[in-house]
C-alpha cells in the first residue's frame, strides 16, 4: 500500500492510483478516489462540510485528496 499524499496517513493500493490516473478530469479522479474509501450508499449520506445534517467526509481522506491534486497526480 502507498500513501495517497505525502504527510497524511491515508493509504491505497497502487492499482487504485493507476486507475485514478486514467481518469480524464480532476473531478472524475476525485470521484473515483472517494469510491475507493466509501460505497455509493455511504457517500449519499455525506458531504464535504457536514452541513444540512449530513456527516462530513473524513478530514484526513479529504486532505489527502486535496494534497494529491496539488502535486498533479490526477
Amino acid at each position: 500500500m502507498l500513501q495517497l499524499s505525502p504527510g497524511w496517513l491515508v493509504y491505497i493500493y497502487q492499482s487504485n492510483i493507476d486507475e485514478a490516473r486514467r481518469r480524464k478530469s480532476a473531478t472524475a479522479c476525485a470521484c473515483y478516489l472517494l469510491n475507493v474509501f466509501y460505497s455509493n450508499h455511504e457517500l449519499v449520506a455525506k458531504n464535504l462540510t457536514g452541513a444540512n445534517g449530513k456527516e462530513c467526509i473524513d478530514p484526513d481522506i479529504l486532505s489527502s485528496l486535496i494534497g494529491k491534486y496539488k502535486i498533479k497526480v490526477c
Side-chain angles (χ1 to χ4, degrees), residues 7-36:
W8 296 97
L9 298 176
V10 177
Y11 295 86
I12 63 173
Y13 293 105
Q14 180 66 48
S15 60
N16 295 127
I17 291 173
D18 296 340
E19 184 63 32
R21 285 182 176 155
R22 285 193 274 275
R23 306 301 169 160
K24 295 184 182 205
S25 70
T27 301
C29 182
C31 288
Y32 172 78
L33 290 171
L34 283 172
N35 278 295
V36 169

